[in-house]
Amino acid sequence: MTAAHDRIGRADEHVVEFGPFRLDRTRRLLLKEGVPVPIGDRAFEILLVLVGHAPEVVSKATLFEQVWPGVLIEESTLRYHMWTLRKALGDGEAGSRYISTASGRGYRFVAPLSHAPTVAKPDTNLPLRLTEIIGRERELGELADWLKCSRLVTLVGPGGVGKTRLAVELGGRMLRHFTAGVWLVDLAPLSDESAVANAVAATLGISVTQIETTVDAIVTGLSKTQLLLILDNCEHLSEAAAALTKTLLERAPGVSILATSRKNLQLAAEHVYGVDPLAVPPAGAVEIGGFAAVELFAERARAADRLFELHDGNSAGVGEICRQLDGLPLALEMAAGRLRLLGIEGLRRGIGDRLKLLKGAPDGDARHASLHGMLEWSHSLLAPFDQQVFRRLATFAASFPLEAAVAVAGGDEAERWEVVDALGRLIDQSLVTLERREPVRYRLLETLRLYATDKLRQAGETDAVAELHARHFIEVFDEAERCWEETPDPDWIAHYQPELDNLRSALDWALAAPGRRQIG
């Protein structure tokens, strides 16, 4: 009998069960029917204290001392995290009760507890979840269904949108579906295409003999296993990642692959899932608490500044910060990290210079050390002509149609289809957003537009491209004037209203200097 079998059936004092939940205090993990439960760090600490003292009443003073040692905490903060914990447990739903309030004294864990038998640790190298994932429950549900039906799913989205975080959370939730585990291979540190297979073999502990290739060794090692392989950050080694993935799909039928990248792997079996930024409140919204971007910012802000609370006095500023940062989780976390230094108003005023302001990756990722560094990484993967098209698209103040992109980004009519192809590649690289509407329009997230504007200035093309932009919209609105009388008002407005932001920016540029007033 192996040591693992010998452990099964023994009671483990570090693992307790209550209702459908299993609390592993050593691994700092709460499971509900085998699936990890999203829960914040402070709420988890409160649960540990309550369970550790059950069934006794735990005073608020004890909770303050053990959850926030040496820190002065307001009672409203404790109430918030207690509410978060109860929500995660479903306390009070369908008659289930876990935590009761002892009026004036504290809280008590009331559900029956039992020590659970130890089970062998699942085969995985996924990092332990340090923070709760926010605003992604719909995506996680959809992706879980996708992985049950498809062996290859690729998460695609711009840098900082949270692809890795989503993949790790999904992998943790899918552990019970793969008998050989879930394994994460980060390709970001690699620079050589030939290193991809070696990284996978090393992660899986597969040895390679002198008479076989690394890929053959991986296939042999995985031929009879049911396993989920997460290939993270594939964009700069996409050809090698795609080649290995294709081989595994063909020769290792029990292996499923979840990839993250800023562009897809272009394989026939691939199901591409676009990861969008978090939802942001519209301008002027008063009630902003239900938007995922606001929830993430507020949660991270409380972690950076224990006194932070979202209220009517700062909700407008928080909403504007979330909108200006396009709902990008990385940017929101970086901004929250600056809150204690700058305050909401100072942060709001500084967002215009976000490429310099926002630094400090939450998890210490060197590529994400600053917002500017993250964008540099994406930009460096582009071919020179694609870089040219990208920076010229910064001239558009809002969304734009294909004809406008060709007029501004191309030098002449001969380059039309080259610009179209480049625009397609920029969409594939998640640097340009395709709007889901007819007729089709495109746009740059505001953070990407600011970065592209810097590149346009560095290339010395700002005025030349702005003039191309202005002259294109002269033609657009000349045509608008000509067809005014013969076009029904609703059709005319629907066609030309989307161009008003571009018209205003063209006028602002043209009227800013005496030599350009004729264009204006």
Side-chain angles (χ1 to χ4, degrees):
M1 182 178 294
T2 65
H5 280 91
D6 188 51
R7 287 196 301 269
I8 294 176
R10 294 182 181 179
D12 185 345
E13 63 180 6
H14 298 293
V15 181
V16 295
E17 293 180 344
F18 53 93
F21 295 96
R22 180 185 182 93
L23 175 63
D24 188 331
R25 288 177 277 200
T26 302
R27 296 175 58 208
R28 295 182 60 81
L29 188 63
L30 178 66
L31 302 172
K32 181 179 183 181
E33 298 177 345
V35 179
V37 177
I39 183 173
D41 290 344
R42 299 301 186 187
F44 189 85
E45 291 291 342
I46 292 171
L47 177 61
L48 290 180
V49 175
L50 293 177
V51 168
H53 288 78
E56 299 174 2
V57 173
V58 180
S59 68
K60 296 175 184 178
T62 299
L63 286 170
F64 286 139
E65 180 181 345
Q66 296 194 25
V67 178
W68 292 275
V71 180
L72 182 61
I73 294 296
E74 294 183 358
E75 190 167 323
S76 61
T77 301
L78 173 60
R79 287 198 301 269
Y80 168 79
H81 290 290
M82 188 65 71
W83 172 83
T84 301
L85 174 58
R86 281 173 158 155
K87 182 180 177 183
L89 295 175
D91 193 25
E93 298 177 4
S96 60
R97 290 308 308 270
Y98 299 102
I99 301 170
S100 69
T101 301
S103 181
R105 292 191 295 158
Y107 302 91
R108 184 165 67 96
F109 195 85
V110 296
L113 295 169
S114 62
H115 290 293
T118 302
V119 297
K121 183 179 178 180
D123 290 328
T124 184
N125 67 336
L126 293 176
L128 291 176
R129 175 173 39 80
L130 299 178
T131 55
E132 178 184 359
I133 192 167
I134 294 174
R136 296 298 193 192
E137 286 304 316
R138 177 182 60 81
E139 289 91 335
L140 287 165
E142 291 176 349
L143 285 166
D145 291 338
W146 280 34
L147 273 177
K148 293 173 185 176
C149 302
S150 173
R151 291 177 56 211
L152 173 59
V153 175
T154 303
L155 305 183
V156 173
V161 80
K163 300 183 294 296
T164 298
R165 181 72 182 84
L166 186 58
V168 169
E169 183 74 22
L170 179 63
R173 298 189 181 194
M174 297 297 292
L175 260 173
R176 59 178 174 161
H177 297 283
F178 296 93
T179 56
V182 178
W183 299 90
L184 173 69
V185 182
D186 184 8
L187 303 185
L190 309 181
S191 57
D192 187 351
E193 298 268 354
S194 64
V196 172
N198 292 331
V200 171
T203 298
L204 298 176
I206 295 175
S207 58
V208 183
T209 66
Q210 294 182 349
I211 60 173
E212 63 182 350
T213 66
T214 303
V215 173
D216 287 336
I218 294 173
V219 169
T220 300
L222 301 181
S223 61
K224 297 181 180 180
T225 61
Q226 188 182 21
L227 173 147
L228 176 62
L229 183 65
I230 301 177
L231 297 179
D232 193 26
N233 300 304
C234 295
E235 54 271 354
H236 63 306
L237 300 172
S238 57
E239 291 185 9
L244 176 60
T245 296
K246 185 173 185 293
T247 299
L248 290 177
L249 293 177
E250 293 172 347
R251 299 172 58 190
V255 174
S256 295
I257 296 172
L258 176 64
T260 77
S261 180
R262 297 180 195 184
K263 62 177 182 177
N264 61 43
L265 300 180
Q266 298 183 331
L267 294 174
E270 183 178 27
H271 286 65
V272 179
Y273 190 96
V275 182
D276 296 322
L278 298 176
V280 301
V286 177
E287 297 294 333
I288 66 172
F291 292 90
V294 174
E295 291 180 9
L296 176 63
F297 179 84
E299 175 67 24
R300 301 298 184 259
R302 279 187 286 266
D305 181 358
R306 63 181 179 80
L307 299 179
F308 173 80
E309 289 186 15
L310 185 64
H311 50 72
D312 292 345
N314 62 18
S315 62
V318 170
E320 184 177 347
I321 289 168
C322 292
R323 285 191 300 275
Q324 288 293 314
L325 295 180
D326 307 303
L328 285 174
L330 178 65
L332 292 168
E333 291 185 339
M334 287 180 172
R338 290 285 203 176
L339 180 62
R340 190 174 183 181
L341 175 65
L342 300 174
I344 290 295
E345 187 58 24
L347 192 56
R348 186 191 65 79
R349 290 196 301 268
I351 286 298
D353 204 16
R354 72 196 70 173
L355 298 181
K356 295 178 181 178
L357 171 69
L358 301 183
K359 301 177 181 179
D363 296 320
D365 185 342
R367 292 176 302 116
H368 294 164
S370 68
L371 194 59
H372 185 269
M374 180 196 72
L375 297 175
E376 282 285 298
W377 164 264
S378 295
H379 187 261
S380 69
L381 301 177
L382 300 178
F385 184 73
D386 293 0
Q387 291 179 349
Q388 172 187 301
V389 173
F390 173 65
R391 66 176 177 262
R392 291 184 176 187
L393 295 179
T395 309
F396 294 104
S399 66
F400 52 90
L402 180 62
E403 291 302 321
V406 171
V408 168
D412 52 48
E413 185 62 25
E415 286 188 327
R416 172 183 175 83
W417 293 110
E418 293 181 32
V419 173
V420 172
D421 290 342
L423 184 61
R425 289 189 293 270
L426 291 171
I427 292 171
D428 290 341
Q429 290 274 12
S430 304
L431 291 172
V432 173
T433 299
L434 178 65
E435 292 192 339
R436 296 181 176 92
R437 58 185 292 181
E438 287 292 342
V440 173
R441 294 180 70 86
Y442 314 87
R443 68 184 178 92
L444 270 64
L445 296 179
E446 183 61 18
T447 298
L448 290 168
R449 195 178 77 84
L450 289 175
Y451 175 80
T453 299
D454 277 352
K455 291 297 181 183
L456 191 66
R457 177 183 52 77
Q458 293 169 16
E461 298 177 342
T462 301
D463 284 337
V465 174
E467 184 171 344
L468 290 173
H469 176 272
R471 292 193 181 281
H472 171 75
F473 283 102
I474 287 174
E475 295 179 6
V476 168
F477 283 94
D478 279 349
E479 176 64 24
E481 185 177 13
R482 286 192 296 270
C483 69
W484 165 264
E485 292 185 354
E486 61 191 46
T487 305
D489 285 354
D491 295 342
W492 190 94
I493 292 172
H495 186 75
Y496 292 104
Q497 190 173 43
E499 309 301 352
L500 288 181
D501 286 331
N502 285 310
L503 174 62
R504 292 187 185 100
S505 68
L507 282 169
D508 288 344
W509 172 81
L511 299 177
R516 302 196 290 258
R517 287 187 175 272
Q518 184 61 37
I519 297 175

